Amino acid sequence: MKVPLLRGLAPCAAAGVLAAALSGCTMGLASPAVVAGDFDRAISSGDFSTACSLLTPAAVQEVETGSGEDCESALESLGVPAGGAVVHVEAWGRAAIAEMEQDTLFLARTGETWAVRAAGCTPVPEAPYDCIVTGG
């Protein structure tokens, strides 16, 4: 699935996100950077159960429907790459992007937390990202 590159984050919004992250003001939520790091550690260590628990419900459904397997088996088969360290995060509203050393994750607020909605994403010049795992 192609995920559009999210552009045009207003400088004031970016400053607000940065200020909130630096102040520790997360309104009780783990930050997108924390969730991205947790997801990467789970994928890297082969803990696909934990990785699945960090996906949005739509991403879990898409992974299972597309593969005909349970989420854990499907993630293992899909070969989502280890991303490495989180190098940049932008969040606005209920959406976030976490750029890692070797992967890009898209996240969404789901209820009281952040969850991964797309992983294994690579940019495509002049087009949206191409992602291994997707979910509305």
Side-chain angles (χ1 to χ4, degrees), residues 26-36 38-39 50-57 91-96 106-117:
T26 60
M27 297 179 284
L29 300 173
S31 73
V34 169
V35 173
D38 290 348
F39 182 81
T50 296
C52 286
S53 75
L54 295 168
L55 293 174
T56 63
W92 52 101
R94 300 183 67 80
F106 290 88
L107 298 98
R109 284 266 314 266
T110 59
E112 295 299 317
T113 191
W114 287 94
V116 176
R117 72 174 186 93

Side-chain angles (χ1 to χ4, degrees), residues 26-126:
T26 60
M27 297 179 284
L29 300 173
S31 73
V34 169
V35 173
D38 290 348
F39 182 81
D40 182 63
R41 279 186 293 285
I43 290 292
S44 297
S45 68
D47 183 358
F48 299 109
S49 177
T50 296
C52 286
S53 75
L54 295 168
L55 293 174
T56 63
V60 170
Q61 182 178 12
E62 185 69 27
V63 164
E64 291 179 342
T65 301
S67 68
E69 300 177 302
D70 61 61
C71 183
E72 294 84 358
S73 299
L75 276 186
E76 185 173 12
S77 299
L78 287 170
V80 176
V86 176
V87 295
H88 181 77
V89 175
E90 288 186 43
W92 52 101
R94 300 183 67 80
I97 183 171
E99 296 172 345
M100 305 174 86
E101 292 170 326
Q102 290 128 18
D103 194 7
T104 300
L105 303 178
F106 290 88
L107 298 98
R109 284 266 314 266
T110 59
E112 295 299 317
T113 191
W114 287 94
V116 176
R117 72 174 186 93
C121 301
T122 53
V124 177
E126 305 300 321

